Amino acid sequence: MSAAASALSGAADRARILAKAALFAPPTARLADGRLDLAGLARAELAFELASLGEAAFRARQLWHWIYHQGVTDFGRMSTLSRPLQRRLASHCAIGRPEIANLDESRDGTHKFLFRLRDGEKVETVYIPDLEEERGAVCLSTQVGCTLSCRFCHTGTQRLRRNLSAAEIIGQFMAVRDAYGEWPSPNGGARLLSNIVLMGMGEPLYNYEAVAAAMRIAMDGEGIALSRRRITLSTSGVVPMMDRCGAELGVNLAVSLHAVTDALRDELVPLNRKYPIAELIAACRRYPGASNARRITFQYVMLAGVNDADTEARELVRLIRGIPAKVNLIPFNPWPGSRFAPSSPGRLARFAAIVREAGFAAPVRTPRGRDILAACGQLRTEAAGARQALR
Ligand code: SAH
Ligand code: SF4
């Protein structure tokens, strides 16, 4: 295909992906009582809402500070706003949070939050503390369920119910901050919730607009103020959206590769039939901002006897040669009804050694939160009795 033809088909694909996302739109930001939920609005949208209440633009900045720096949800506590404005805001607006329906704690300190959303849908969010340092990652969901049915993933067995809104995506992070008492936003100092990984339920690049809006809020310097270096978006390979993600958000990219031939990847990650390995790798090569300091992460779930042979490790390094990259080797996390087994420690070590000899970092990820079904690929919000089955 010529460059012009491929640019055109990329644009058509992007339009299709965005149109499909709209079909699974979340409920509007209006509450049942008519109030507007301000959470998740961009700065300009917040200014617009305040202007429609007859307020000056600088009020939007104050309100932003209260919502995203102080984490305050009660207008009555926003002491830089006049009493009459506090009252008017309270009668027209709200600042919503997803409601914690359940909280599980793993033996290793990982916490899994089950959030109930306003329409009753549920998603899971996982906090994974670093075991050595005072920091940790919050793993956010972007969809309720997933349209892609990667064979090894529990979420993939739950059909897509709908996309999450920007408010629901950033709301998961804010609710976890509430739980850890990490407001106001620590300026530069140590924080437990130091990173965001978009690796929970769903495919973030199939809900790009909402994910982008939520991440812009997370990165805003006058609010939550997380650097883009502390945010990682994981994709199963939605090639047409990867360029946009890199150019507009510049967050770290993780790519769920898992196989090195199209024949096997077609089976494990069915999206490969649309965007095969060569196209995926080409998109990684041109991902903006990738450098040795900001490497692309290739995720590779190690499935015993399926994708873990020496020849596959060699082919992996051949494919990614020249890309500033590291390879995360993830031992398969089982879930009730899954048909795979994790590779043995010896196999993992051998595979890792081949990747390392080629000059790539290849950490073997210790599974976190497996006992509460909180590890990679174990999230699902329809599974009755799943936890019992694993114990
Ligand atoms: N949809 C995105 C992000 C969510 S999945 C994606 O696929 O990248 C997050 C990561 O968990 C992906 O790398 C995914 O391939 C991996 N994963 C899924 N199921 C898994 C399992 N059972 N064991 C280990 N990793 C798994
Ligand atoms: Fe969806 Fe990612 Fe699971 Fe695949 S691995 S089914 S893309 S959540």
Side-chain angles (χ1 to χ4, degrees), residues 4-312:
S6 101
L8 265 184
S9 79
D13 265 9
R14 272 193 294 282
R16 239 192 321 273
I17 291 167
L18 295 173
K20 190 154 177 216
L23 286 179
F24 291 93
T28 70
R30 287 270 164 216
L31 310 188
D33 61 11
R35 284 181 304 153
L36 180 72
D37 187 358
L38 299 180
L41 296 189
R43 264 174 185 270
E45 292 166 328
L46 193 62
F48 177 84
E49 293 306 330
L50 278 172
S52 69
L53 292 176
E55 291 297 328
F58 77 94
R59 294 284 176 213
R61 191 166 182 190
Q62 289 180 322
L63 197 49
W64 185 272
H65 175 87
W66 284 112
I67 300 175
Y68 294 113
H69 181 79
Q70 301 285 352
V72 168
T73 54
D74 174 359
F75 294 110
R77 287 185 46 213
M78 299 184 176
S79 54
T80 53
L81 307 183
S82 68
R83 286 271 169 222
L85 177 57
Q86 289 176 1
R87 276 195 292 273
R88 238 147 26 94
L89 284 170
S91 65
H92 290 92
C93 307
I95 300 162
R97 288 279 200 271
E99 178 197 338
I100 299 178
N102 193 38
L103 178 56
D104 285 317
E105 182 169 359
S106 157
R107 286 187 283 270
D108 67 22
T110 299
H111 282 91
K112 182 169 79 170
F113 294 79
L114 175 68
F115 286 115
R116 187 181 300 113
L117 308 173
R118 236 174 25 231
D119 60 353
E121 294 291 359
K122 294 191 185 126
V123 287
E124 293 180 321
T125 306
V126 182
Y127 173 63
I128 311 142
D130 192 300
L131 294 176
E132 272 124 46
E133 290 182 53
E134 211 173 79
R135 63 176 187 201
V138 186
C139 176
L140 303 180
S141 290
T142 56
Q143 300 183 302
V144 185
C146 190
T147 44
L148 303 169
S149 30
C150 303
R151 297 287 173 262
F152 44 82
C153 174
H154 204 197
T155 309
T157 65
Q158 176 177 352
R159 75 182 173 83
L160 178 67
R161 305 265 310 165
R162 68 169 173 82
N163 282 323
L164 297 188
S165 64
E168 291 166 336
I169 296 168
I170 197 67
Q172 296 167 60
F173 184 74
M174 294 171 74
V176 177
R177 264 203 172 173
D178 292 347
Y180 282 83
E182 274 211 346
W183 299 108
S185 291
N187 285 326
R191 41 182 156 189
L192 291 172
L193 316 182
S194 60
N195 290 61
I196 287 180
V197 292
L198 293 157
M199 293 188 187
M201 299 168 64
E203 168 49 58
L205 294 186
Y206 271 169
N207 187 18
Y208 178 74
E209 303 285 8
V211 166
M215 292 307 105
R216 285 193 189 103
I217 292 174
M219 292 188 281
D220 186 294
E222 290 181 12
I224 293 171
L226 269 192
S227 146
R228 64 192 165 86
R229 293 189 173 72
R230 294 189 172 277
I231 299 177
T232 302
L233 181 147
S234 177
T235 181
S236 56
V238 185
V239 167
M241 301 308 292
M242 285 167 61
D243 299 296
R244 253 191 94 180
C245 172
E248 294 178 358
L249 301 177
V251 296
N252 299 319
L253 185 71
V255 171
S256 299
L257 190 59
H258 308 318
V260 293
T261 62
D262 283 323
L264 181 59
R265 197 163 187 272
D266 280 353
E267 285 310 306
L268 295 178
V269 183
L271 183 65
N272 195 68
R273 295 175 202 161
K274 223 180 212 158
Y275 308 117
I277 292 175
E279 284 184 32
L280 178 58
I281 297 293
C284 293
R285 285 192 194 282
R286 61 176 186 260
Y287 190 73
S291 67
N292 271 332
R294 266 166 55 74
R295 289 170 293 176
I296 291 181
T297 303
F298 287 96
Q299 318 249 61
Y300 199 93
V301 57
M302 295 289 288
L303 307 167
V306 175
N307 64 355
D308 61 352
D310 288 0
T311 47
E312 286 162 314

Side-chain angles (χ1 to χ4, degrees), residues 297-359:
T297 303
F298 287 96
Q299 318 249 61
Y300 199 93
V301 57
M302 295 289 288
L303 307 167
V306 175
N307 64 355
D308 61 352
D310 288 0
T311 47
E312 286 162 314
R314 287 194 202 98
E315 178 58 12
L316 172 61
V317 296
R318 196 192 65 76
L319 277 176
I320 65 173
R321 188 157 295 137
I323 302 179
K326 69 171 179 179
V327 179
N328 267 356
L329 298 173
I330 318 172
F332 170 67
N333 292 309
W335 36 270
S338 59
R339 287 174 294 142
F340 298 101
S343 304
S344 68
R347 191 84 295 276
L348 263 160
R350 178 74 196 123
F351 196 100
I354 294 173
V355 179
R356 284 180 199 139
E357 277 158 24

